[in-house]
Structures are given as structure tokens and as C-alpha cells.
Amino acid sequence: MNNQSFSPLSAAEMAVIWKQYMNDKELFLGSYFDEKRPLTVIEISHIVSSIQTNLIAKDLILGFAQTAPSQEIQAFLLKGREQVQQHIESLSQPLMVENIPVTMKWDYGVEKSSVPPFSEKLMMFHLAAMITENVRGYGLAMSKSPRLDLALNYTNFTNEILEYAKEVSRISIEQGWLEEPPHIPFPKIHLE
């Protein structure tokens, strides 16, 4: 075993290292395949925020799935829960590489009830709202993360979740749950 003790870097040493990253734009932006630079605090905060948003979504979806009367809706919700779990695992990877603690999971708080507290229409409305929040969060994280590999992950997550959102809309339309939103009247054009 190595008897060398670990000593943290001083502020001056960190400043020198950071200046090297900033001067080497390719190193700062990173690449998709090469060695990555350490995460910035802003990148860490967006990753953690995205993980927390997904953990909340995962638990809410589980609660909805076990209480939804329709087998079709249950299966659809469980498919979404799997997708959310994949996002959580992918988001956790950069943190684990740098030995940063990953956010605690919350699924132990979901009860085993099968009595639906909400209609399936309201469940789908809440699911659409969660999707909107996730897309917003991924977009913000992408805009604040200079590392290209993180931006690519957020882009892929957004594409996956938007595909799922299309299915939410399809089911809502088929069930008659999606109401026509208010809009301005189209002007009448008289052609002669």
C-alpha cells in the first residue's frame, strides 16, 4: 500500500490548473471520447438538480402506475419509469467518476396502495407537466455545461423524453382528455 498522504491543492495551485484549462479551449470543452476535464460546480449543480427532478418523477410515476385502473396506462407509465431510471443512471456517471456523492433515492416513500386518488386524466396531465419541467431543466443544464459530452447527454435525454411526450399526447387525444387550448381567431380572408 502507498504510504504517501493526500494533501489538497492550495487555492494558488487550483488557480494555475484552472488557468491552463481556460487557455486550452479544446481541453475545457472536452470531447465525446477523450479524457474529460473535471466538472465545474455549475455543471455539478445542474446534474444534481436533474437527478432530483428525475427521482421525484420516478416516484410519482410509480404511484400513478400502481393506482391507474387501465392496464394500458399502467404499462405506459412503467415504460416512462424505466426511461427515467436510465436518465438517473446516466446522470450519475460523471459524478461517480469524480467520487462526488450521488443524490439519495426516495422510492422507499411510495406506498403500496392501489386505490386511485386521481383520475387517469389528471395523472396524464401531471405527467405532461413533469415532462415539461424535465425538458426545461435539461435545456438549462445544456446551456450552462461547456463539456461537450454533457451537452450530448442532455440532447439525447431531451429527444427521448419528447418522444414519450408524444405518446402522452396520443393517449390523451384517444381518451378525449386533451382539450383544445384557447387561441386567437383566424382572420377571415375574402378572396375575390
Side-chain angles (χ1 to χ4, degrees):
M1 180 171 238
N2 191 349
N3 288 334
Q4 294 177 340
S5 65
F6 173 77
S7 62
L9 297 174
S10 69
E13 291 168 323
M14 287 298 291
V16 168
I17 292 171
W18 187 248
K19 187 172 182 177
Q20 289 172 347
Y21 279 125
M22 293 307 291
N23 288 335
D24 187 349
K25 290 171 185 47
E26 286 183 28
L27 181 61
F28 183 70
L29 295 176
S31 76
Y32 302 114
F33 308 109
D34 296 335
E35 186 175 334
K36 316 287 190 277
R37 67 157 169 76
L39 295 168
T40 65
V41 172
I42 292 172
E43 289 167 336
I44 293 168
S45 69
H46 284 289
I47 290 170
V48 170
S49 176
S50 294
I51 290 171
Q52 289 174 338
T53 300
N54 277 302
L55 286 169
I56 292 168
K58 183 178 147 194
D59 291 348
L60 194 58
I61 289 171
L62 176 60
F64 287 167
Q66 67 189 29
T67 61
S70 161
Q71 294 291 325
E72 177 192 6
I73 302 296
Q74 284 180 4
F76 177 72
L77 290 167
L78 291 174
K79 174 184 161 192
R81 187 170 188 266
E82 289 172 20
Q83 185 181 73
V84 168
Q85 180 61 39
Q86 290 170 356
H87 288 199
I88 292 167
E89 290 169 10
S90 294
L91 286 162
S92 300
Q93 283 303 313
L95 299 178
M96 291 188 299
V97 165
E98 295 193 30
N99 294 319
I100 298 169
V102 179
T103 305
M104 182 178 81
K105 295 170 182 34
W106 301 346
D107 2 26
Y108 61 84
V110 178
E111 297 292 325
K112 301 277 188 234
S113 174
S114 61
V115 177
F118 306 116
S119 68
E120 288 178 321
K121 177 180 179 178
L122 187 57
M123 290 179 195
M124 294 303 268
F125 174 80
H126 281 294
L127 184 60
M130 284 188 306
I131 290 170
T132 302
E133 175 57 23
N134 249 356
V135 169
R136 184 214 53 83
Y138 288 155
L140 181 60
M142 189 184 333
S143 72
K144 299 295 183 184
S145 299
R147 258 181 50 173
L148 297 176
D149 63 313
L150 296 178
L152 179 63
N153 282 346
Y154 289 126
T155 301
N156 290 337
F157 296 157
T158 301
N159 287 336
E160 290 172 7
I161 201 167
L162 289 175
E163 283 298 315
Y164 190 72
K166 279 195 324 192
E167 287 297 304
V168 171
S169 296
R170 182 192 60 76
I171 291 170
S172 296
I173 290 168
E174 286 175 1
Q175 297 293 329
W177 298 333
L178 192 63
E179 299 171 11
E180 183 178 352
H183 55 81
I184 61 170
F186 293 105
K188 294 181 181 177
I189 301 174
H190 298 287
L191 299 176
E192 297 189 30

